[in-house]
């Protein structure tokens, strides 16, 4: 049994995206080589919603929510019925899965909220949970907070695209040896890898066979690049009994400031998630829920343009990193890049702090995504194009300065 | 060790305020005596923000937050620094306690969020937690979800005001026998009782002596009625090492639709709460945080008028219930009434459903606040005055109809 002290050590958040402002930098001056590098500071730890502003109509939708008063301030814990009705329909069309608005859908405070509720509803002391490495950092922390046991599953992402993907043998092995829950993101955070149709089918079939609950985080599934194909597990022919799919408008649509997410799937689990939400936050902020009315309803061409602009940034940054021999997988979707650094004279964690201090570039260390990946860094490239390119060049310059 | 099934049975939320819409009513027609009672439906399960609208300037403050873009969308997990700075100052003036904005204050998604984080930071498997009966229903559920053990402490609220208050002997007994955390609300939810200065001093002194963490929920402390005195435990001379105070603008100020709360106190616990927030919801919705700029900054006379209007409703409802022999304590603060019903021919839980079905009156059953209080009901009387009075008369009429 973990003490509270141990439990909260496992939740250490000093390197989490957005928390960099709390770090001390006093010791860096004695380590720093040369001068500070000029350039517009870029915070790659999250997307820049000033460069890619919120989807059109969001503040107007919020105002409608506010003006509808009490009914929107105090919704059911799972979210306003009218909004869920319309959303279930649109999410159903996007994923190819019929969703019951009444029984199978919950609105949450962000997709982070959805993840917490989904794992809170399925993980307790001793529950074995398969977690992909690398994957979104909160997955591992959530399992630890809930007292579960992590069963790591490797993701291959740097090889030949046709060999890449989650290690299906390790997944089967985990499922055979008592794993009860499998949580993963596709597109993968931090690599941008999209699970292939055959991987998705295999995972779904294995989960059914071994009665494993699946929690599939599809946060970035709308931002799919040219020529890529996305497979929705929830629409597979063969499915496990317990399945939760998570989506939200925070990323591609730049609506993170509203803290809105959704989860849909097995009614029994959605019920549990609502009960948990009742004691965690009651509900997603009432007026904000109305902003979901704009989701999957963006003006014609808006999403296509946004994807095209991100793809252009992706391609230019990939070129810069690869020219400098930093191995970097091609993101198939989403706005994350996960370059691998070269061997350095300083600890990777120090290098990340130097990047911010000396080069004005904030990135998230790879260790947030898998304990062993200290030589990689994650960038959210949803940024001003020119500033991102200049900042990527500064990263390369910094690698040269501190190279072993 | 509780299974997930048992854990979520303990979180049953069908009777929770706002969830009544999910209940089936089919079986009630065969039990119902006589006709439906006419009148404007009143939902006493929560305040009516259409009758008492949000504090002035809230939507404008929200708009300022939205327009300030990325910096407000992605704040530190504990909330935007600038907003915390100003808030710490105003909360300090209200409570008489100096608060460090950097180390001792966190902004949360509602006071529900603050309660979850405070208990999540201090309660784990086997932790003994003293919980007042009656008190806010989520307290018990949170302790159960976190694996803690509830040590009940009775609150005396129906006797002579000078004898009322928490049972200090039982508190001392609980503290002596291994209780590590004590959570309570003052003003008490559901009775409106304000803990006296001597009770507060005694609790604080006992907590120091026995190294008990205190979590004090002061959600309603601003709505204090004529002649009443409020004692802030956080400003006591003698204090325990670990103390968290919770406040928020959701109730008196009718800002519940924004889901904003705050907690302040022991820096080590605030750190833990932030780490937990990072995996639960990341942060309170960014743009909404800006609405805290209006808190404790309401126009001159606004709060006094709001309190006066609630006091008038309180007095009239008390008169109606007492004339009908329903024992009802006088709320000293807040907008809850907790009348005790007379012996009935139907189960109290059925009576509550009949109230909604036959009389258009929604109330929360007493069992949500203490397992043994099925003969009491809670009303949030922050409602349209005339509609609330008419609904209270219908409650009395319904008691007569179903009286044993």
């Amino acid at each position: 049994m973990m003490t509270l002290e141990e439990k909260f050590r496992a939740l250490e958040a000093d390197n989490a995206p957005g928390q960099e402002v709390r770090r001390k930098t006093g010791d860096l001056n004695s380590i720093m080589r040369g001068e500070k590098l000029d350039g517009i500071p870029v915070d790659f730890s999250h997307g820049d919603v000033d460069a890619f502003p919120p989807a059109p109509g969001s503040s107007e939708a919020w105002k409608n929510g506010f003006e509808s008063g009490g009914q929107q301030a105090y919704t059911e814990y799972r979210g306003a019925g009218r909004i869920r009705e319309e959303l279930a329909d649109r999410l159903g069309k996007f994923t190819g899965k019929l969703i019951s608005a009444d029984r199978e859908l919950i609105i949450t405070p962000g997709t982070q909220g959805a993840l917490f509720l989904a794992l809170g509803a399925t993980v307790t002391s001793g529950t074995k949970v398969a977690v992909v490495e690398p994957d979104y950092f909160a997955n591992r922390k959530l399992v630890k907070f809930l007292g579960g046991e992590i069963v790591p599953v490797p993701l291959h992402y740097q090889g030949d695209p046709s060999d890449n993907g989650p290690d299906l043998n390790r997944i089967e092995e985990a499922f055979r040896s008592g794993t009860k829950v499998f949580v993963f993101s596709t597109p993968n955070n931090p690599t941008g890898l999209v699970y292939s149709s055959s991987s998705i089918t295999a995972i779904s079939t294995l989960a059914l066979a071994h009665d494993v609950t699946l929690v599939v985080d599809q946060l970035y599934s709308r931002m799919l690049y040219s020529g890529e194909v996305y497979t929705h597990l929830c629409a597979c022919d063969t499915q496990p009994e317990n399945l939760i799919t998570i989506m939200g408008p925070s990323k591609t649509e730049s609506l993170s400031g509203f803290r809105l997410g959704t989860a849909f799937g097995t009614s029994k689990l959605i019920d549990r998630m609502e009960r948990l939400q009742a004691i965690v936050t009651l509900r997603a902020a009432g007026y904000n829920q109305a902003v979901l009315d704009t989701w999957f309803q963006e003006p014609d061409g808006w999403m296509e343009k946004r994807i095209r602009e991100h793809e252009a940034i992706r391609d230019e940054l990939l070129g810069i990193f690869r020219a400098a021999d930093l191995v970097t997988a091609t993101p198939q979707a989403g706005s994350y890049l996960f370059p691998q650094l070269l061997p350095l004279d300083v600890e990777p964690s120090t290098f990340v702090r130097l990047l911010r201090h000396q080069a004005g570039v904030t990135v998230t260390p790879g260790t947030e995504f898998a304990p062993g990946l200290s030589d990689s860094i994650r960038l959210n490239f949803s940024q001003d194009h020119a500033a991102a390119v200049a900042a990527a060049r500064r990263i390369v310059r910094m690698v040269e300065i501190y190279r072993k």
Side-chain angles (χ1 to χ4, degrees), chain A residues 58-125:
Chain A
S58 59
S59 73
E60 293 77 8
W62 181 87
K63 199 151 186 285
N64 289 341
F66 180 75
E67 283 172 356
S68 62
Q71 56 163 309
Q72 196 56 52
Y74 288 92
T75 70
E76 285 175 66
Y77 298 145
R78 63 179 66 199
R82 197 268 308 157
I83 293 171
R84 273 186 289 120
E85 281 295 340
E86 300 178 18
L87 201 54
D89 187 52
R90 299 199 296 275
L91 284 169
K93 285 194 180 108
F94 177 67
T95 59
K97 162 80 179 175
L98 199 68
I99 302 164
S100 158
D102 184 47
R103 293 178 297 105
E104 299 177 332
L105 176 65
I106 184 170
I107 297 171
T108 60
T111 48
Q112 182 68 56
L115 258 182
F116 173 78
L117 298 179
L119 293 177
T122 53
V123 178
T124 188
S125 207

Coordinates of all heavy atoms in Angstrom, one line a residue, chain A residues 58-125:
Chain A
S58 N -17.4 30.2 -31.1 CA -17.3 29.6 -29.8 C -17.8 30.6 -28.7 O -18.5 30.3 -27.8 CB -16.0 29.0 -29.5 OG -15.0 30.0 -29.6
S59 N -17.3 31.9 -28.8 CA -17.7 32.8 -27.8 C -19.2 33.2 -27.9 O -19.9 33.4 -26.9 CB -16.8 34.1 -27.8 OG -17.1 34.9 -28.9
E60 N -19.7 33.2 -29.1 CA -21.2 33.4 -29.3 C -22.0 32.3 -28.7 O -23.0 32.5 -28.0 CB -21.5 33.6 -30.8 CG -21.0 34.8 -31.4 CD -19.5 34.8 -31.8 OE1 -18.9 33.7 -31.6 OE2 -18.9 35.8 -32.2
A61 N -21.5 31.1 -28.9 CA -22.2 29.9 -28.3 C -22.2 29.9 -26.8 O -23.1 29.6 -26.1 CB -21.5 28.6 -28.9
W62 N -21.0 30.4 -26.3 CA -20.9 30.5 -24.8 C -22.0 31.5 -24.3 O -22.7 31.2 -23.3 CB -19.5 31.0 -24.4 CG -19.4 31.1 -22.9 CD1 -19.1 30.1 -22.1 CD2 -19.7 32.2 -22.1 NE1 -19.2 30.5 -20.8 CE2 -19.6 31.8 -20.8 CE3 -20.1 33.5 -22.4 CZ2 -19.8 32.7 -19.7 CZ3 -20.4 34.4 -21.4 CH2 -20.2 34.0 -20.0
K63 N -22.1 32.6 -25.0 CA -23.0 33.7 -24.6 C -24.4 33.1 -24.6 O -25.2 33.4 -23.7 CB -22.9 34.9 -25.6 CG -23.4 36.1 -25.0 CD -22.7 37.4 -25.6 CE -23.2 38.7 -24.9 NZ -24.5 39.1 -25.3
N64 N -24.8 32.3 -25.7 CA -26.1 31.7 -25.7 C -26.3 30.9 -24.4 O -27.4 30.9 -23.9 CB -26.2 30.8 -26.9 CG -26.3 31.6 -28.2 OD1 -26.6 32.8 -28.2 ND2 -26.1 31.0 -29.3
G65 N -25.3 30.1 -24.1 CA -25.4 29.3 -22.9 C -25.6 30.1 -21.6 O -26.5 29.9 -20.8
F66 N -24.8 31.2 -21.5 CA -25.0 32.1 -20.3 C -26.4 32.7 -20.3 O -27.0 32.7 -19.2 CB -23.9 33.2 -20.4 CG -23.9 34.1 -19.3 CD1 -23.5 33.8 -18.0 CD2 -24.5 35.4 -19.4 CE1 -23.5 34.7 -16.9 CE2 -24.5 36.3 -18.4 CZ -24.0 35.9 -17.1
E67 N -26.8 33.1 -21.4 CA -28.1 33.8 -21.5 C -29.3 32.9 -21.3 O -30.4 33.3 -20.9 CB -28.3 34.6 -22.7 CG -27.4 35.9 -22.7 CD -27.3 36.7 -23.9 OE1 -27.9 36.2 -25.0 OE2 -26.7 37.7 -23.9
S68 N -29.1 31.6 -21.5 CA -30.2 30.7 -21.2 C -30.3 30.4 -19.7 O -31.3 29.7 -19.3 CB -30.1 29.4 -22.1 OG -29.0 28.7 -21.8
G69 N -29.4 30.9 -18.9 CA -29.7 30.9 -17.4 C -29.6 29.6 -16.7 O -28.8 28.8 -17.0
G70 N -30.5 29.5 -15.8 CA -30.5 28.4 -14.8 C -30.4 27.0 -15.4 O -29.7 26.1 -14.9
Q71 N -31.2 26.8 -16.5 CA -31.2 25.4 -17.1 C -29.8 25.0 -17.6 O -29.5 23.9 -17.7 CB -32.2 25.4 -18.2 CG -32.0 26.4 -19.3 CD -32.7 26.1 -20.6 OE1 -32.6 25.0 -21.1 NE2 -33.5 27.0 -21.1
Q72 N -29.0 26.1 -18.0 CA -27.7 25.7 -18.5 C -26.6 25.8 -17.4 O -25.6 25.2 -17.5 CB -27.3 26.7 -19.6 CG -26.1 26.3 -20.5 CD -26.3 24.9 -21.1 OE1 -27.3 24.6 -21.7 NE2 -25.4 24.0 -20.9
A73 N -26.9 26.5 -16.3 CA -26.0 26.6 -15.2 C -26.0 25.2 -14.4 O -24.9 24.7 -14.0 CB -26.3 27.7 -14.2
Y74 N -27.2 24.7 -14.3 CA -27.3 23.4 -13.5 C -27.8 22.3 -14.5 O -29.0 22.1 -14.6 CB -28.3 23.6 -12.4 CG -27.8 24.4 -11.2 CD1 -28.0 25.8 -11.2 CD2 -27.1 23.8 -10.2 CE1 -27.5 26.5 -10.1 CE2 -26.6 24.5 -9.1 CZ -26.8 25.9 -9.1 OH -26.3 26.6 -8.0
T75 N -26.9 21.6 -15.1 CA -27.4 20.5 -16.0 C -27.3 19.2 -15.2 O -26.7 19.2 -14.1 CB -26.5 20.4 -17.2 OG1 -25.2 20.0 -16.8 CG2 -26.3 21.8 -17.9
E76 N -27.8 18.2 -15.8 CA -27.5 16.8 -15.2 C -26.0 16.7 -15.1 O -25.2 17.4 -15.9 CB -27.9 15.7 -16.2 CG -29.4 15.5 -16.2 CD -29.8 14.5 -17.3 OE1 -29.4 13.3 -17.1 OE2 -30.5 14.9 -18.2
Y77 N -25.5 15.9 -14.2 CA -24.0 15.7 -14.1 C -23.4 15.3 -15.4 O -22.3 15.7 -15.7 CB -23.7 14.7 -13.0 CG -24.2 15.1 -11.6 CD1 -24.6 14.2 -10.7 CD2 -24.2 16.5 -11.2 CE1 -25.1 14.6 -9.4 CE2 -24.6 16.8 -10.0 CZ -25.1 15.9 -9.1 OH -25.5 16.3 -7.9
R78 N -24.1 14.5 -16.2 CA -23.5 14.0 -17.5 C -23.6 15.1 -18.6 O -23.2 14.8 -19.7 CB -24.1 12.7 -17.9 CG -25.6 12.7 -18.2 CD -26.1 11.3 -18.6 NE -26.0 10.3 -17.5 CZ -26.0 9.0 -17.7 NH1 -26.0 8.5 -18.9 NH2 -25.9 8.2 -16.7
G79 N -24.2 16.2 -18.3 CA -24.3 17.3 -19.3 C -25.7 17.5 -19.7 O -26.6 16.6 -19.6
A80 N -26.0 18.7 -20.3 CA -27.3 19.1 -20.7 C -27.9 18.1 -21.8 O -27.2 17.7 -22.8 CB -27.3 20.5 -21.3
G81 N -29.1 17.6 -21.6 CA -29.7 16.6 -22.4 C -29.8 17.1 -23.9 O -29.4 16.3 -24.8
R82 N -30.2 18.3 -24.1 CA -30.4 18.8 -25.5 C -29.0 18.8 -26.2 O -28.9 18.3 -27.4 CB -31.0 20.2 -25.5 CG -31.6 20.7 -26.8 CD -30.6 21.4 -27.6 NE -29.9 22.5 -27.0 CZ -28.7 23.0 -27.4 NH1 -28.1 22.5 -28.4 NH2 -28.2 24.0 -26.7
I83 N -28.0 19.2 -25.5 CA -26.7 19.2 -26.2 C -26.2 17.8 -26.4 O -25.6 17.5 -27.5 CB -25.7 20.0 -25.3 CG1 -26.1 21.5 -25.2 CG2 -24.2 19.9 -25.8 CD1 -25.3 22.3 -24.2
R84 N -26.4 16.9 -25.5 CA -26.0 15.5 -25.7 C -26.7 14.9 -26.9 O -26.1 14.2 -27.7 CB -26.2 14.7 -24.4 CG -25.1 14.7 -23.4 CD -25.3 13.8 -22.3 NE -26.4 14.3 -21.4 CZ -27.5 13.6 -21.1 NH1 -27.7 12.4 -21.7 NH2 -28.4 14.1 -20.3
E85 N -28.0 15.2 -27.0 CA -28.8 14.6 -28.1 C -28.1 15.0 -29.5 O -27.8 14.1 -30.3 CB -30.2 15.2 -28.2 CG -31.2 14.7 -27.2 CD -31.5 13.2 -27.5 OE1 -31.3 12.7 -28.6 OE2 -31.9 12.5 -26.5
E86 N -27.8 16.2 -29.7 CA -27.3 16.6 -31.0 C -25.8 16.2 -31.2 O -25.4 15.8 -32.3 CB -27.4 18.2 -31.1 CG -28.8 18.6 -31.0 CD -29.0 20.2 -31.1 OE1 -28.1 20.8 -31.5 OE2 -30.1 20.6 -30.6
L87 N -25.1 16.1 -30.1 CA -23.7 15.7 -30.1 C -23.6 14.2 -30.4 O -22.7 13.8 -31.2 CB -23.1 16.0 -28.8 CG -21.6 16.1 -28.7 CD1 -21.1 17.2 -29.7 CD2 -21.2 16.5 -27.2
A88 N -24.5 13.4 -29.8 CA -24.4 12.0 -30.1 C -24.6 11.7 -31.6 O -23.9 10.8 -32.1 CB -25.5 11.3 -29.3
D89 N -25.5 12.5 -32.2 CA -25.7 12.3 -33.6 C -24.4 12.6 -34.4 O -24.0 11.9 -35.3 CB -26.8 13.3 -33.9 CG -27.3 13.1 -35.4 OD1 -27.6 11.9 -35.7 OD2 -27.4 14.1 -36.1
R90 N -23.8 13.8 -34.1 CA -22.6 14.2 -34.9 C -21.4 13.2 -34.6 O -20.7 12.9 -35.5 CB -22.3 15.6 -34.6 CG -23.4 16.6 -34.9 CD -22.9 18.0 -35.1 NE -22.4 18.6 -33.9 CZ -23.2 19.2 -32.9 NH1 -24.5 19.3 -33.1 NH2 -22.6 19.7 -31.8
L91 N -21.3 12.9 -33.3 CA -20.2 11.9 -33.0 C -20.4 10.6 -33.7 O -19.5 9.9 -34.1 CB -20.0 11.8 -31.5 CG -19.4 12.9 -30.7 CD1 -19.6 12.7 -29.2 CD2 -17.9 13.0 -31.1
G92 N -21.6 10.2 -33.7 CA -22.0 8.9 -34.4 C -21.6 8.9 -35.8 O -21.1 8.0 -36.4
K93 N -21.9 10.1 -36.5 CA -21.6 10.2 -37.9 C -20.1 10.2 -38.1 O -19.6 9.5 -39.1 CB -22.2 11.5 -38.5 CG -23.7 11.4 -38.7 CD -24.2 12.5 -39.6 CE -25.7 12.4 -39.7 NZ -26.5 13.4 -39.0
F94 N -19.3 10.8 -37.2 CA -17.9 10.9 -37.4 C -17.2 9.5 -37.2 O -16.3 9.1 -37.9 CB -17.3 11.9 -36.4 CG -15.8 12.0 -36.4 CD1 -15.1 12.5 -37.6 CD2 -15.0 11.6 -35.4 CE1 -13.7 12.6 -37.6 CE2 -13.6 11.6 -35.4 CZ -13.0 12.1 -36.5
T95 N -17.7 8.8 -36.2 CA -17.0 7.5 -35.8 C -17.7 6.3 -36.5 O -17.0 5.3 -36.5 CB -17.1 7.3 -34.3 OG1 -18.5 7.2 -33.9 CG2 -16.4 8.4 -33.5
G96 N -18.9 6.5 -37.0 CA -19.6 5.3 -37.6 C -20.2 4.4 -36.6 O -20.4 3.2 -36.8
K97 N -20.5 4.9 -35.4 CA -21.0 4.1 -34.3 C -22.3 4.8 -33.8 O -22.2 6.0 -33.5 CB -20.0 4.1 -33.2 CG -20.5 3.7 -31.8 CD -20.6 2.2 -31.7 CE -21.1 1.8 -30.3 NZ -21.4 0.3 -30.3
L98 N -23.4 4.1 -33.7 CA -24.6 4.7 -33.1 C -24.4 4.9 -31.6 O -24.0 3.9 -30.9 CB -25.8 3.7 -33.4 CG -27.2 4.3 -33.3 CD1 -27.4 5.2 -34.5 CD2 -28.2 3.1 -33.4
I99 N -24.7 6.1 -31.1 CA -24.5 6.4 -29.7 C -25.8 6.9 -29.1 O -26.5 7.8 -29.6 CB -23.4 7.5 -29.6 CG1 -22.1 7.1 -30.2 CG2 -23.2 7.9 -28.1 CD1 -21.2 8.3 -30.5
S100 N -26.2 6.3 -28.0 CA -27.4 6.7 -27.3 C -27.0 7.9 -26.4 O -26.2 7.9 -25.5 CB -27.9 5.6 -26.4 OG -28.7 6.2 -25.3
A101 N -27.7 9.1 -26.7 CA -27.4 10.3 -26.0 C -27.8 10.2 -24.5 O -27.1 10.7 -23.6 CB -28.1 11.5 -26.6
D102 N -28.8 9.4 -24.2 CA -29.3 9.2 -22.9 C -28.4 8.3 -22.0 O -28.2 8.6 -20.9 CB -30.7 8.7 -22.9 CG -31.3 8.6 -21.5 OD1 -31.2 9.6 -20.8 OD2 -31.9 7.6 -21.1
R103 N -27.9 7.3 -22.6 CA -27.2 6.2 -21.8 C -25.7 6.1 -22.1 O -25.0 5.6 -21.2 CB -27.9 4.9 -22.1 CG -29.3 4.8 -21.6 CD -30.0 3.4 -21.9 NE -30.1 3.2 -23.3 CZ -29.3 2.4 -24.0 NH1 -28.4 1.7 -23.4 NH2 -29.4 2.4 -25.4
E104 N -25.3 6.5 -23.2 CA -23.9 6.2 -23.6 C -22.9 7.4 -23.8 O -21.9 7.2 -24.3 CB -23.9 5.4 -24.9 CG -24.7 4.1 -24.8 CD -24.8 3.3 -26.1 OE1 -24.8 3.9 -27.2 OE2 -24.9 2.1 -26.0
L105 N -23.3 8.5 -23.3 CA -22.5 9.7 -23.6 C -22.4 10.6 -22.3 O -23.5 10.8 -21.7 CB -23.1 10.5 -24.7 CG -22.5 11.9 -25.1 CD1 -21.1 11.7 -25.6 CD2 -23.3 12.6 -26.2
I106 N -21.2 11.1 -22.0 CA -21.1 12.0 -20.9 C -20.2 13.2 -21.3 O -19.2 13.0 -22.1 CB -20.5 11.3 -19.6 CG1 -20.5 12.3 -18.4 CG2 -19.2 10.7 -19.9 CD1 -20.1 11.6 -17.1
I107 N -20.6 14.4 -20.9 CA -19.8 15.6 -21.2 C -18.9 15.8 -19.9 O -19.4 15.7 -18.8 CB -20.7 16.8 -21.4 CG1 -21.5 16.6 -22.7 CG2 -19.8 18.1 -21.6 CD1 -22.6 17.6 -23.0
T108 N -17.6 16.1 -20.1 CA -16.7 16.1 -19.0 C -15.8 17.4 -19.1 O -15.8 18.1 -20.1 CB -15.7 14.9 -19.1 OG1 -15.0 15.0 -20.4 CG2 -16.4 13.6 -19.0
P109 N -15.2 17.8 -18.0 CA -14.3 19.0 -18.0 C -13.0 18.6 -18.7 O -12.0 18.2 -18.1 CB -14.1 19.3 -16.5 CG -14.6 18.1 -15.7 CD -15.3 17.2 -16.6
G110 N -13.0 18.8 -20.0 CA -11.8 18.4 -20.8 C -11.7 16.9 -21.0 O -12.4 16.1 -20.4
T111 N -10.9 16.5 -22.0 CA -10.6 15.1 -22.2 C -9.8 14.6 -21.0 O -9.9 13.4 -20.7 CB -9.9 14.8 -23.5 OG1 -8.8 15.7 -23.6 CG2 -10.8 15.0 -24.7
Q112 N -9.1 15.5 -20.3 CA -8.4 15.0 -19.1 C -9.5 14.5 -18.1 O -9.3 13.5 -17.5 CB -7.6 16.2 -18.5 CG -6.9 15.8 -17.2 CD -5.7 14.9 -17.5 OE1 -4.9 15.2 -18.3 NE2 -5.7 13.7 -16.9
G113 N -10.5 15.3 -18.0 CA -11.6 14.8 -17.1 C -12.2 13.5 -17.5 O -12.5 12.6 -16.7
A114 N -12.4 13.3 -18.8 CA -12.9 12.0 -19.3 C -12.0 10.9 -19.0 O -12.4 9.8 -18.6 CB -13.1 12.2 -20.8
L115 N -10.7 11.1 -19.2 CA -9.7 10.0 -18.9 C -9.7 9.7 -17.4 O -9.7 8.5 -17.0 CB -8.3 10.5 -19.2 CG -7.6 10.1 -20.4 CD1 -6.2 10.7 -20.5 CD2 -7.5 8.6 -20.6
F116 N -9.8 10.7 -16.5 CA -9.8 10.4 -15.1 C -11.1 9.6 -14.8 O -11.0 8.7 -14.0 CB -9.8 11.8 -14.3 CG -10.0 11.5 -12.8 CD1 -9.0 11.1 -12.0 CD2 -11.3 11.7 -12.3 CE1 -9.2 10.8 -10.7 CE2 -11.5 11.5 -10.9 CZ -10.5 11.0 -10.1
L117 N -12.2 10.0 -15.3 CA -13.4 9.3 -15.0 C -13.4 7.9 -15.5 O -13.9 7.0 -14.8 CB -14.7 10.1 -15.5 CG -14.9 11.5 -15.0 CD1 -16.1 12.1 -15.7 CD2 -15.1 11.5 -13.5
A118 N -12.9 7.7 -16.7 CA -12.9 6.4 -17.3 C -12.0 5.5 -16.5 O -12.4 4.3 -16.2 CB -12.4 6.5 -18.8
L119 N -10.9 5.9 -16.1 CA -10.0 5.1 -15.3 C -10.5 5.0 -13.9 O -10.4 3.9 -13.3 CB -8.5 5.6 -15.4 CG -7.9 5.5 -16.8 CD1 -6.5 6.0 -16.8 CD2 -7.9 4.0 -17.3
G120 N -11.0 6.0 -13.3 CA -11.6 6.0 -12.0 C -12.7 5.0 -11.9 O -13.0 4.3 -10.9
A121 N -13.4 4.8 -13.0 CA -14.6 3.8 -13.1 C -14.1 2.4 -13.3 O -15.0 1.5 -13.1 CB -15.5 4.3 -14.2
T122 N -12.9 2.2 -13.6 CA -12.5 0.8 -14.0 C -11.2 0.3 -13.3 O -10.9 -0.9 -13.4 CB -12.2 0.8 -15.5 OG1 -11.2 1.8 -15.9 CG2 -13.5 0.9 -16.3
V123 N -10.5 1.2 -12.6 CA -9.3 0.9 -11.9 C -9.4 1.1 -10.4 O -9.8 2.1 -10.0 CB -8.1 1.7 -12.5 CG1 -6.8 1.3 -11.7 CG2 -7.9 1.5 -14.0
T124 N -9.0 0.1 -9.6 CA -9.0 0.2 -8.2 C -7.7 -0.5 -7.7 O -6.8 -0.9 -8.5 CB -10.2 -0.3 -7.5 OG1 -10.2 0.0 -6.1 CG2 -10.4 -1.8 -7.7
S125 N -7.5 -0.5 -6.4 CA -6.3 -1.1 -5.8 C -6.0 -2.5 -6.5 O -6.8 -3.4 -6.4 CB -6.5 -1.2 -4.3 OG -5.3 -1.2 -3.7

